[in-house]
Amino acid sequence: MASDSKSTVRYGGNTACVEVTCGEESILFDAGSGLRAAGDLIAKQARKRDAEGLDRKHLHLMFTHCHYDHISGLPFFAPFFDRNTKIDIWSGHLAGANKTRRMIENYMSSPYFPVGPEVFAASLTYRDFEAHDVLQPIENVVVKTLPLNHHDECIGYRVEFDNRSICYITDTTHILNEPDQGIIEFVKDTDLMIYDGTYTDAEFPAFWNFGHSTWEEGARISKVAGVKRYCVFHHRPSRSDNQLDKIAAQCKKKFPRSWIGREGLRIKV
Ligand SMILES: [Zn+2]
Ligand SMILES: [Zn+2]
């Protein structure tokens, strides 16, 4: 999202972490600084399940890519320190054997971090896939994948469950006046698209090579692709609450069923 300061108390200052819940199960996307709070909540739910004699949930964490704002929360995820937890970690942006394991080991290593993933007590399974693969992490949940237009590669996701779908399309850029046909097809008729609205159209010419898009482009894609709900995500770090309020109002005019992503926002589809 943005960054933590007095001007971001309402929308929040954490970076990317999204939970998609499908019935009893859920999948976490990205391990930005928001993952720490998500982990505390999951740990609390796990203690409740233990008290009720229920089985623990098998957790899934899927990465779009590993830029710092999408991985910085990883070492602080409470379930990693619980030996009764099983977690599958998935990535496809590096497309190769053992890439997910190496991504985590490299991130948690000297001189960037004091300890490696061997400090985790949970049982971890590292899973690699390639863009365009169709995954089934949980029974009845299909996850489709798409390569996005971003530095160092990035994966977009479409989660399908019970005749509904949610698309998570962040860290992608666009070419002016050339709608991304791959994304339009991928998100077609989805119930919710979460989209990289880092910049405004007015700011975009100065940042065209930063690998991000604009909230207006997300609104245009939403219209063309028949998206039912649109959430503007990955706010520019300097964006204040007041600026986001203005964007929210402008975005509602272009696409009424739209939200500005904020800490703890829940959207039911
Ligand atoms: Zn990125
Ligand atoms: Zn990012």
Side-chain angles (χ1 to χ4, degrees):
M1 292 292 148
S3 55
D4 203 20
S5 76
K6 279 182 188 160
S7 65
T8 61
V9 287
R10 283 188 288 117
Y11 286 92
N14 280 315
T15 62
C17 181
V18 168
E19 183 180 25
V20 175
T21 303
C22 307
E24 280 281 288
E25 307 292 335
S26 65
I27 305 172
L28 288 158
F29 289 93
D30 282 331
S33 63
L35 184 71
R36 196 191 57 78
D40 292 347
L41 208 65
I42 290 165
K44 201 171 146 192
Q45 288 164 353
R47 284 194 295 275
K48 198 168 165 245
R49 288 181 79 87
D50 288 350
E52 291 168 0
L54 297 168
D55 283 345
R56 284 289 184 87
K57 283 188 191 174
H58 190 126
L59 305 177
H60 294 270
L61 172 60
M62 294 187 164
F63 277 88
T64 56
H65 65 314
C66 54
H67 284 161
Y68 289 141
D69 54 325
H70 296 254
I71 199 170
S72 63
L74 186 101
F76 311 105
F77 184 55
F80 281 151
F81 298 91
D82 179 344
R83 65 187 162 79
N84 295 319
T85 301
K86 289 193 181 89
I87 307 176
D88 288 15
I89 304 176
W90 305 69
S91 81
H93 63 295
L94 301 168
N98 290 324
K99 293 286 188 178
T100 303
R101 174 189 285 273
R102 258 182 268 156
M103 170 180 80
I104 306 292
E105 286 172 351
N106 289 346
Y107 178 66
M108 293 179 68
S109 70
S110 173
Y112 302 105
F113 207 73
V115 291
E118 69 278 358
V119 297
F120 296 148
S123 113
L124 304 188
T125 304
Y126 297 100
R127 297 193 181 272
D128 300 308
F129 65 87
E130 293 187 16
H132 297 295
D133 281 357
V134 176
L135 315 169
Q136 191 160 20
I138 302 162
E139 209 187 337
N140 302 325
V141 178
V142 169
V143 178
K144 295 177 176 163
T145 64
L146 179 80
L148 298 177
N149 189 3
H150 194 57
H151 307 285
D152 308 311
E153 308 302 327
C154 186
I155 299 287
Y157 290 98
R158 180 181 176 118
V159 183
E160 297 182 343
F161 169 70
D162 196 21
N163 292 320
R164 285 166 284 170
S165 68
I166 289 179
C167 294
Y168 180 50
I169 311 291
T170 194
D171 293 60
T172 193
T173 190
H174 64 277
I175 299 164
L176 271 181
N177 304 317
E178 273 185 46
D180 188 321
Q181 292 304 330
I183 291 180
I184 289 171
E185 217 169 284
F186 189 73
V187 305
K188 200 162 181 6
D189 298 328
T190 189
D191 294 286
L192 170 66
M193 177 176 78
I194 301 165
Y195 185 80
D196 181 339
T198 302
Y199 301 115
T200 64
D201 275 358
E203 293 165 340
F204 190 70
F207 297 98
W208 66 272
N209 58 346
F210 274 56
H212 294 287
S213 189
T214 70
W215 68 262
E216 291 99 325
E217 185 70 7
R220 286 188 286 270
I221 291 171
S222 296
K223 276 186 197 164
V224 174
V227 166
K228 300 196 181 79
R229 300 168 188 82
Y230 165 39
C231 179
V232 182
F233 191 73
H234 205 294
H235 311 314
R236 190 177 171 187
S238 60
R239 205 72 88 205
S240 68
D241 285 335
N242 291 342
Q243 288 170 335
L244 287 170
D245 283 345
K246 276 187 198 144
I247 290 173
Q250 291 168 336
C251 193
K252 283 246 181 252
K253 279 186 199 153
K254 286 189 193 290
F255 197 85
R257 293 192 92 182
S258 61
W259 288 261
I260 300 295
R262 63 171 163 75
E263 191 91 29
L265 173 66
R266 281 166 189 267
I267 302 175
K268 191 171 166 27
V269 301

